[in-house]
């Protein structure tokens, strides 16, 4: 409950996660059928990059601060369009605002935020957005309560926990099983930090042992993952990625690696279809 994303908004991990999120959302827009997105750890939706919190860490300067002037030919252009639409460069959008901006009238977004103050900020942001609902509830309880959706047969479940409590990778593995039982055709996207390799490897092996097919992993490392007390990189694990996702994600990560001066990027098919 003490985690506040305002200190980290717009950093390299946000840029990586949101660029790939836009690519996932674009796949739904190819067809007219409605889709639903459940954002389980939504935050406040939009962050002031000149707030005391952001100025204290200035993490955004090594993230969105280096990417703002990408040209229209960049593989990051579609994501940056959403960032600018949200009020940049003064503000950086969280995942719920990026999602909401890309919804059509027939689509919907459900946001869950456990922190009461952040939930109120998020609710105010979407007061006049009828296809977005905001819940103050635990993310993992929400998976049981809100799935399957009543309004769509297609959907994306975005799980982006703060990883401030032990056992988060175990909870994520259990969450995947819950989603499988309740909304088996959903795309599942799980963000995770990379400090050192052991917890990530165990998480991957756990999911590989479930029998779930078609699991893709995209990772961006700013430095070798040798220091467990430092955020060295970030990953996005996607279950049932849309056609062409791996190729687009590879191009996006390669560009992020080049501009941000990252150590390494990769997209791996952890389990084949």
């Amino acid at each position: 409950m003490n985690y506040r994303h305002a200190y980290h908004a717009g950093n390299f991990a946000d840029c990586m996660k949101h660029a790939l999120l836009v690519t996932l959302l674009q796949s739904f827009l190819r067809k007219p059928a409605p889709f639903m997105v459940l954002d389980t750890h939504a935050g406040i939706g939009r962050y002031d990059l000149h707030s005391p919190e952001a100025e204290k860490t200035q993490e955004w300067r090594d993230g969105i601060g280096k990417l703002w002037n990408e040209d229209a030919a960049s593989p990051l252009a579609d994501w940056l369009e959403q960032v600018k639409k949200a009020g940049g460069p003064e503000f950086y959008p969280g995942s719920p605002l990026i999602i909401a901006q890309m919804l059509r009238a027939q689509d919907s977004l459900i946001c869950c935020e456990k922190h009461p103050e952040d939930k109120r900020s998020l609710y105010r942001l979407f007061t006049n957005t009828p296809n977005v609902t905001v819940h103050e509830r635990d993310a993992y309880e929400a998976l049981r309560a809100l799935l399957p959706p009543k309004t769509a047969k297609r959907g994306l479940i975005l799980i982006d926990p703060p990883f401030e409590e032990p056992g988060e990778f175990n909870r994520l593995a259990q969450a995947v099983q819950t989603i499988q039982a309740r909304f088996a055709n959903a795309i599942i996207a799980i963000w995770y930090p990379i400090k050192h390799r052991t917890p990530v490897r165990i998480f991957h092996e756990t999911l590989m042992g479930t029998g779930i097919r078609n699991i893709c992993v995209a990772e961006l490392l700013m430095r070798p993952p040798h220091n467990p007390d430092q955020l060295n990189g970030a990953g996005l694990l996607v279950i049932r990625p849309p056609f062409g996702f791996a190729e687009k994600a590879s191009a996006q990560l390669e560009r992020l690696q080049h501009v941000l001066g990252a150590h390494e990027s990769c997209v791996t098919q952890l389990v084949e279809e």
Side-chain angles (χ1 to χ4, degrees), residues 44-263:
I44 65 173
R46 183 168 62 181
Y47 299 89
D48 183 351
L49 294 180
H50 298 290
S51 69
E53 295 87 351
E55 288 294 343
K56 183 176 181 179
T57 63
Q58 298 200 19
E59 289 185 17
W60 66 271
R61 295 186 184 277
D62 290 323
I64 186 61
K66 291 184 175 180
L67 295 160
W68 188 250
N69 293 320
E70 288 286 282
D71 62 36
S74 169
L76 304 172
D78 291 342
W79 157 64
L80 286 168
E81 179 183 351
Q82 298 302 323
V83 175
K84 294 174 183 179
K85 186 176 178 180
E90 301 296 321
F91 295 91
Y92 185 82
S95 54
L97 184 53
I98 290 174
I99 296 165
Q101 289 177 166
M102 296 182 69
L103 296 179
R104 304 162 300 183
Q106 66 266 39
D107 307 320
S108 60
L109 166 64
I110 302 173
C111 302
C112 294
E113 175 50 53
K114 191 174 181 179
H115 194 290
E117 184 180 342
D118 288 357
K119 181 263 180 181
R120 288 192 290 271
S121 296
L122 191 64
Y123 184 83
R124 288 193 295 269
L125 181 65
F126 292 127
T127 297
N128 297 315
T129 311
N131 53 350
V132 177
T133 56
V134 177
H135 296 259
E136 183 182 324
R137 67 194 315 166
D138 175 77
Y140 299 113
E141 184 275 331
L143 296 175
R144 296 187 294 271
L146 301 175
L147 297 179
K150 297 183 175 123
T151 57
K153 295 182 179 179
R154 303 190 299 154
L156 167 66
I157 314 300
L158 174 64
I159 310 178
D160 176 20
F163 282 84
E164 62 178 350
E165 297 178 6
E168 198 71 75
F169 278 118
N170 291 333
R171 284 187 287 273
L172 286 170
Q174 293 168 4
V176 168
Q177 298 284 26
T178 299
I179 297 167
Q180 284 291 107
R182 294 178 173 269
F183 194 16
N185 65 333
I187 295 174
I188 306 172
I190 300 174
W191 179 91
Y192 57 86
I194 303 174
K195 296 183 177 182
H196 64 111
R197 274 292 173 197
T198 301
V200 174
R201 185 182 70 250
I202 293 172
F203 175 55
H204 289 176
E205 290 173 350
T206 299
L207 291 183
M208 291 168 68
T210 63
I212 297 172
R213 310 301 302 170
N214 197 8
I215 304 177
C216 180
V217 170
E219 294 184 342
L220 178 68
L221 289 168
M222 299 305 292
R223 60 194 67 85
H226 299 155
N227 184 353
D229 297 320
Q230 186 176 29
L231 180 63
N232 298 305
L236 191 75
L237 182 145
V238 182
I239 297 174
R240 287 178 290 274
F243 177 77
F245 172 77
E247 291 78 10
K248 291 183 179 179
S250 293
Q252 290 171 316
L253 292 187
E254 287 173 7
R255 185 59 186 166
L256 286 170
Q257 180 182 352
H258 175 74
V259 178
L260 301 183
H263 170 70

